[in-house]
Amino acid sequence: VGSETAAFAVIFIGWTWCTVASGMGTRCPTDFAEVPSILMEYFANDYRVVSQFARHYQTGQPLPKSMISRLCESKKVCAATDMQLQVFYSVLDQAYHAMHPLGKSTTEILKETQRNFYGLPYIQNTAWQLRFSHLVGYGAKYYSYLMSRAVATMVWKQCFMKNPFDRIMGERYRREMLGHGGGKEPMLMVKGMLQKCPTTEDFVDALVLDLDPDFESFFMDS
């Protein structure tokens, strides 16, 4: 578990009113588990938010806008390649947990999947899948990283991008998403937050939008 996920899990549990301990906080379907932490990244990269607390420890001067802008820009370096890598991992995870017996070795499946879904070629005589523990721990659910990023992007764009301090949207976020933990179907929580049921096209568009270098920093230059 990443440090940012672990830190948010503590907050997430505190905001959950689920009466069953096993359904509190991040103890929810994997598809949804990363949504709050990814959404928090948008807030942490927004100068309107950062300027409220990020100051020099000696002078008290706020963090320069240009520094946050450069941070956002650096995150977009090779972002499309990273997105393609996540798609590759997701498809590979699905292939390994599909029909059994597999019919081929895991390395042969890796080579074929990498050829079809990733831009860099497979390196002969390697078998890195044997030490990639996510393929075991997630068990056909690695796609959840992309799913969660798409949901977080949609929520940010529709509910918080214009005003990250919007109290009405914040209350809706707590009521519709954070408060349920694992006690409510994720798609119902997303539908309640967005006030619509997102389509496959909406998920894809959100992931593409996340690659836009101006998506997070356009308001810093205004």
Side-chain angles (χ1 to χ4, degrees):
V1 178
S3 58
E4 74 284 353
T5 303
F8 195 83
V10 176
I11 302 174
F12 197 177
I13 291 173
W15 284 341
T16 304
W17 54 69
C18 181
T19 57
V20 181
S22 61
M24 294 183 67
T26 54
R27 293 171 177 174
C28 58
T30 313
D31 304 51
F32 184 79
E34 295 285 343
V35 171
S37 62
I38 295 175
L39 180 59
M40 187 63 74
E41 291 178 19
Y42 282 116
F43 284 94
N45 290 331
D46 189 307
Y47 186 75
R48 295 167 296 182
V49 176
V50 176
S51 62
Q52 300 297 308
F53 65 87
R55 298 180 181 277
H56 193 280
Y57 77 104
Q58 289 180 323
T59 66
Q61 291 296 313
L63 199 66
K65 284 185 178 181
S66 59
M67 186 175 293
I68 297 296
S69 183
R70 289 198 301 271
L71 173 63
C72 291
E73 290 168 0
S74 69
K75 291 175 59 182
K76 302 300 182 179
V77 175
C78 297
T81 299
D82 183 62
M83 182 78 73
Q84 187 184 49
L85 180 62
Q86 294 300 309
V87 171
F88 164 44
Y89 286 163
S90 300
V91 176
L92 182 65
D93 185 39
Q94 292 289 310
Y96 284 158
H97 293 87
M99 298 293 291
H100 280 263
L102 294 176
K104 302 178 182 178
S105 72
T106 59
T107 300
E108 289 176 317
I109 294 174
L110 168 64
K111 291 171 62 175
E112 181 179 325
T113 306
Q114 185 163 345
R115 183 174 61 250
N116 293 331
F117 292 94
Y118 194 47
L120 296 178
Y122 166 77
I123 299 176
Q124 292 297 325
N125 301 317
T126 61
W128 57 260
Q129 79 278 10
L130 301 179
R131 57 181 174 79
F132 189 41
S133 60
H134 283 64
L135 295 175
V136 177
Y138 277 70
K141 293 181 289 187
Y142 191 91
Y143 70 89
S144 298
Y145 280 113
L146 291 174
M147 182 74 75
S148 292
R149 180 159 295 280
V151 172
T153 300
M154 286 188 282
V155 171
W156 172 258
K157 178 185 177 184
Q158 181 173 318
C159 305
F160 295 108
M161 191 166 69
K162 289 184 179 180
N163 177 14
F165 304 109
D166 191 314
R167 181 60 180 265
I168 294 177
M169 290 296 102
E171 291 290 349
R172 183 196 291 180
Y173 179 46
R174 183 183 184 188
R175 182 179 66 251
E176 297 292 346
M177 301 186 85
L178 294 182
H180 300 286
K184 188 175 181 179
E185 181 70 26
M187 186 57 76
L188 296 179
M189 291 191 281
V190 174
K191 184 178 180 180
M193 187 65 200
L194 299 177
Q195 302 292 288
K196 71 170 186 177
C197 186
T199 63
T200 301
E201 288 73 21
D202 290 329
F203 281 99
V204 173
D205 289 345
L207 291 175
V208 173
L209 180 63
D210 188 60
L211 298 176
D212 188 338
D214 296 324
F215 179 50
E216 293 178 83
S217 59
F218 75 96
F219 41 76
M220 296 184 215
D221 302 322
S222 60

